[in-house]
Amino acid sequence: MKRYNLPVGGIEVVIPGDYKPKQKLDHTTTKRIKPARPASAATAAASPHKHLRYIATRTLLLTCGLATLGNIPVYSMINSPEEGKILNLATQLDNNSPAQVMKDLNLPAVAVESFSGYAVDVLPDARQGNWIMRSVESEDTLETIISKLELSKTAKALLENSNIQQELKDLKTGAHILVQIVDDQLLQLIYAKGKTNAYIVSATDEGYAGKWESEAFAMADSRIAFTVKHSLQKDGKAAGLSNSVIRQISQVFHKDMDFRKGVKVGDKVGVIFEDFRYQGESIYTDKILAAEYTSRKNTWQRIRFTLEDGKTDYFRPDGDSELKRTAFDRKPIEGGRMSSGFGMRRHPVFGLRKAHAGTDFAAPRGTPIHATADGSVKFLGRQGGYGNVVELRHRNGITTLYGHMSAFKEGLGSGEKVTRGDVIGYVGSTGTSTGNHVHYEFRINGEPQNPMTADLPEVGIMSATEMRKFKNFASSMTQQLADLRKLASLDKPLKDQSGG
Ligand SMILES: [Zn+2]
């Protein structure tokens, strides 16, 4: 096989190996068109230049196909290398239907190996209708994602396409799926596996077709800066922000300022946000990654960050004061009913008035019991009225105790480290107990405190690893925000509007 590049919209034609042209195939311009001899089906079939005719015909068919798709001129001509004559392909088409020409020339079925060219990839216009975005969750399939969109019958046709099903069989958790909906019909679907690598499904006349693309789609971090001249909404829009991003600005800074009253002419805004681009258009703007708001007196910055537990928030890059949370959960189980509080009570078994050193939560046998804070196992085993009990040691002289367990967490032993939220055992009714519940104690230096009301120590909201990651990300973002601020400063507020 040899490959020759014909200058027809970048189309590559593959020719069987036994064909050797005497000169390179050449493209001629319209100015050089000479009246050409129409080639009838009979002479074509009898021609010794079968291969040339073959190429010519395939090129012609392709050209016509491309021409109908637009932007390719139909003036494709090639020189006959032997006779120096020009075949006018258009004339040939007039005389013979493409199917007839193919048949008469007795073309080998496998001679043409491949075609490639941009014009084949005509996709529906990205600017129609609405784009929506879904993030793939761990259990998601193409079907669950599409069924949630509640579209008309088009979605079903897409799901019945076995090629598409095959390509999108295993969706990557966290990947994005963008769907273009026009008049309640699914026009295109983009499965963004990487920053630019995407599988693109589009509606065609013969149902849906899908293919992998590495250039049509891109996930980008877009940056926009502007100075407020009229309102956040109006100037943000003029600067090119979507309504969604403008709305997010006030949410990002809700702890810093009140956007209903605080916006003044001359304030500067800089935002960095996730932008999905397709066919050169921004089709969907997602979350703000970082933002800065500068008023006359203050500059606020907020950086988006997702903690290891999956919670996402906008943090101040230097905001150590707010990067804290209580070190303990109040309850060791999810749900459950508080069946007995802390303090004096009539003992349910002995009938005596006695101080209750903890809080009881009734829950079905087997309900998982969680460590309420980071710590280590101080004791695990049977202990009189507590039945099966786990005692954890924490920082600052604090210990917690979990009683009446039906079972311990398998493999958990004395001295072992536990992380807040780890399962340490299961609800039961061992020891002195009248029903399934967990007895939870919170002690400071050995003194039981009310677990529901005790002052809880605070810890940094981020682990050391998270803090390192956050600081790295934040420093890159603050640098970009500073650049954006300079940009916004060039955009002076209107004089007659200032002074608000
Ligand atoms: Zn109790």
Side-chain angles (χ1 to χ4, degrees):
M1 291 279 181
K2 285 198 162 79
R3 288 161 187 271
Y4 296 91
N5 287 314
L6 294 183
V8 182
I11 303 304
E12 183 182 63
V13 177
V14 180
I15 296 166
D18 58 343
Y19 171 70
K20 293 182 180 69
K22 288 187 179 167
Q23 69 180 67
K24 217 176 170 188
L25 296 174
D26 189 23
H27 180 251
T28 56
T29 65
T30 51
K31 285 173 188 163
R32 290 172 56 195
I33 293 180
K34 298 175 199 162
R37 187 184 61 181
S40 76
T43 55
S47 167
H49 315 298
K50 215 161 100 180
H51 287 305
L52 177 70
R53 294 292 166 83
Y54 163 64
I55 300 157
T57 312
R58 289 313 280 268
T59 308
L60 159 71
L61 293 176
L62 192 66
T63 307
C64 294
L66 293 172
T68 59
L69 295 173
N71 73 35
I72 298 293
V74 200
Y75 309 121
S76 289
M77 304 180 72
I78 56 173
N79 282 320
S80 163
E82 301 254 310
E83 301 164 21
K85 285 178 184 161
I86 293 164
L87 297 173
N88 186 324
L89 301 174
T91 315
Q92 194 174 18
L93 183 70
D94 285 346
N95 294 346
N96 303 282
S97 74
Q100 191 59 40
V101 171
M102 299 278 278
K103 193 163 163 265
D104 292 346
L105 289 174
N106 191 25
L107 294 169
V110 293
V112 173
E113 196 177 64
S114 67
F115 294 107
S116 65
Y118 63 85
V120 181
D121 305 340
V122 172
L123 295 161
D125 190 342
R127 289 166 298 189
Q128 306 169 64
N130 284 315
W131 284 91
I132 55 171
M133 195 274 284
R134 293 283 178 274
S135 294
V136 177
E137 287 166 24
S138 59
E139 301 294 306
D140 270 335
T141 62
L142 187 59
E143 192 152 8
T144 62
I145 286 176
I146 290 190
S147 66
K148 278 181 221 154
L149 301 176
E150 292 177 358
L151 292 168
S152 63
K153 58 192 184 309
T154 53
K156 204 168 162 251
L158 191 153
L159 289 170
E160 281 166 359
N161 184 311
S162 57
N163 287 337
I164 295 170
Q165 277 285 13
Q166 182 59 32
E167 292 294 337
L168 301 184
K169 198 171 49 165
D170 300 308
L171 300 176
K172 192 171 94 180
T173 301
H176 301 285
I177 290 188
L178 292 120
V179 179
Q180 184 183 21
I181 298 167
V182 180
D183 299 331
D184 197 32
Q185 312 263 329
L186 195 157
L187 189 63
Q188 295 187 91
L189 179 147
I190 300 173
Y191 168 58
K193 198 175 182 186
K195 287 250 172 199
T196 59
N197 185 27
Y199 187 75
I200 295 174
V201 174
S202 45
T204 72
D205 290 343
E206 291 95 39
Y208 286 97
K211 63 194 288 194
W212 286 99
E213 286 269 3
S214 59
E215 277 167 26
F217 170 82
M219 263 172 79
D221 295 351
S222 290
R223 296 159 185 80
I224 284 181
F226 63 95
T227 296
V228 176
K229 296 170 189 169
H230 310 91
S231 71
L232 199 64
Q233 176 72 28
K234 195 172 174 183
D235 300 309
K237 201 99 187 121
L241 290 179
S242 67
N243 288 330
S244 148
V245 172
I246 294 170
R247 262 197 308 277
Q248 287 178 57
I249 293 172
S250 57
Q251 290 158 12
V252 166
F253 293 106
H254 77 277
K255 288 177 193 156
D256 302 317
M257 65 171 281
D258 181 354
F259 274 77
R260 282 166 307 176
K261 300 180 208 152
V263 177
K264 301 273 193 291
V265 168
D267 289 356
K268 293 174 189 62
V269 183
V271 275
I272 304 168
F273 56 96
E274 285 178 322
D275 197 9
F276 296 94
R277 307 187 74 81
Y278 179 52
Q279 297 176 16
E281 304 276 338
S282 172
I283 54 167
Y284 189 88
T285 52
D286 199 22
K287 300 284 183 295
I288 287 181
L289 298 171
E292 182 183 277
Y293 195 93
T294 304
S295 69
R296 282 184 196 179
K297 288 179 189 158
N298 290 301
T299 290
W300 293 286
Q301 293 181 330
R302 290 277 168 179
I303 315 287
R304 185 171 197 266
F305 190 71
T306 302
L307 300 167
E308 276 157 11
D309 65 5
K311 285 189 192 112
T312 298
D313 207 345
Y314 288 91
F315 299 105
R316 292 202 324 238
D318 59 342
D320 291 342
S321 62
E322 71 176 81
L323 300 179
K324 288 197 185 301
R325 61 179 163 190
T326 55
F328 284 80
D329 294 325
R330 294 281 182 194
K331 290 168 63 183
I333 58 168
E334 273 175 49
R337 175 180 58 88
M338 198 208 284
S339 52
S340 181
F342 177 88
M344 291 302 288
R345 64 164 187 179
R346 186 169 292 277
H347 195 276
V349 174
F350 303 115
L352 307 165
R353 281 188 64 80
K354 197 184 164 207
H356 185 215
T359 305
D360 293 345
F361 297 95
R365 183 185 163 87
T367 301
I369 297 168
H370 305 273
T372 53
D374 294 352
S376 62
V377 178
K378 185 184 171 200
F379 177 83
L380 179 147
R382 237 183 141 87
Q383 200 182 94
Y386 287 124
N388 290 327
V389 65
V390 170
E391 199 176 350
L392 300 180
R393 181 185 285 117
H394 310 279
R395 296 172 69 176
N396 308 322
I398 297 171
T399 54
T400 54
L401 182 148
Y402 315 75
H404 312 304
M405 290 180 173
S406 60
F408 303 113
K409 168 76 185 174
E410 212 186 308
L412 190 69
S414 205
E416 216 151 302
K417 275 196 159 39
V418 292
T419 302
R420 180 182 191 166
D422 281 355
V423 173
I424 53 172
Y426 304 91
V427 170
S429 189
T430 55
T432 313
S433 166
T434 54
N436 288 316
H437 75 286
V438 55
H439 169 93
Y440 175 58
E441 284 186 26
F442 181 86
R443 299 175 178 168
I444 300 176
N445 299 324
E447 280 299 308
Q449 311 278 322
N450 184 344
M452 299 298 105
T453 57
D455 281 343
L456 299 175
E458 288 194 324
V459 285
I461 201 164
M462 293 183 196
S463 68
T465 323
E466 282 175 320
M467 184 59 88
R468 238 186 339 268
K469 267 197 218 162
F470 173 72
K471 291 279 181 194
N472 269 339
F473 182 62
S475 86
S476 139
M477 286 291 149
T478 47
Q479 182 56 51
Q480 295 180 44
L481 289 172
D483 293 345
L484 280 173
R485 195 185 320 138
K486 282 178 214 152
L487 210 66
S489 302
L490 301 174
D491 183 19
K492 291 273 181 291
L494 296 176
K495 267 182 190 159
D496 58 349
Q497 298 275 339
S498 62

